[in-house]
Amino acid sequence: MDQNLNDTGWRGSQEGWLEAAYSSLIDSGVDSVKILPLAKKLKLSRTSFYWFFKDREELLDALVQKWRDKNTGNLIKQSEAYAESLAEAMLNVFDCWLNKDLFDSQFEFAVRSWALQSSDILKEVQAADQTRVEALSKMFMRFGLKAVPADVRARTTYLVQIGYISMQSQEDIAVRMKRIPEYIAIYTGQIPQQRELDRFFARHGYKPG
């Protein structure tokens, strides 16, 4: 009877299935993203899955789209956000590295791990890398840099952060915040103004000691 109720009654939602898939990907990798284990996690029948997705591949495609929209989409938005200076523009980008709502580092790591076993996902990651570097390059050029220096600074900025993620580097927030002005100076060639740093610290709830 319980099985019948699950089949004919509440079937969850597309977002619920997607969130369960996301959690499994983060916790255990793509091989754990399978319909029956997800159904058990959600306490739903296996057949309810098919009300929202044609098959597992469609669910995996939705996961990739979620990653693309969040991590690539928000990085581009932050690179285009209003800033008085190049240093402040870079601080806008740094919001991504400190705010999981803008850029999900665990999701990034999981997708990059997935790419090690899937040529299709590797292409997705490579395309995202190119798109993100181009967005950062455009940000630099908006503040007067020529194409080649803008590209090099964009790559330096981006590849260091991907290194942080790939190495699963853990850094105390106070230590990281103290390092940020130096990072900004290295990446942009500009020392951030105190008012720019104050705004950045305030939106992340950090009070320098």
Side-chain angles (χ1 to χ4, degrees), residues 40 49 77 111 132 169 176 206:
K40 289 180 178 178
F49 171 85
K77 287 178 185 176
V111 171
R132 295 169 187 179
S169 179
R176 188 159 207 194
Y206 173 73

Side-chain angles (χ1 to χ4, degrees), residues 66-83:
K66 180 182 176 74
W67 164 76
R68 193 187 296 131
D69 290 344
K70 184 168 192 175
N71 286 8
T72 301
N74 283 329
L75 191 151
I76 291 171
K77 287 178 185 176
Q78 290 301 111
S79 74
E80 295 173 345
Y82 172 78

Side-chain angles (χ1 to χ4, degrees), residues 143-201:
F143 287 91
L145 273 74
K146 300 293 186 181
V148 172
D151 176 69
V152 171
R153 287 182 184 272
R155 290 178 184 279
T156 302
T157 302
Y158 180 67
L159 293 175
V160 167
Q161 185 56 36
I162 294 303
Y164 262 99
I165 293 168
S166 298
M167 293 172 65
Q168 295 186 289
S169 179
Q170 299 296 318
E171 201 171 43
D172 180 81
I173 189 65
V175 171
R176 188 159 207 194
M177 287 297 193
K178 287 178 182 177
R179 289 173 175 166
I180 280 175
E182 294 298 328
Y183 276 126
I184 300 300
I186 290 168
Y187 296 157
T188 67
Q190 294 183 5
I191 297 173
Q193 298 295 313
Q194 189 59 50
R195 66 178 182 275
E196 295 170 337
L197 289 171
D198 288 344
R199 286 195 289 267
F200 176 77
F201 292 148

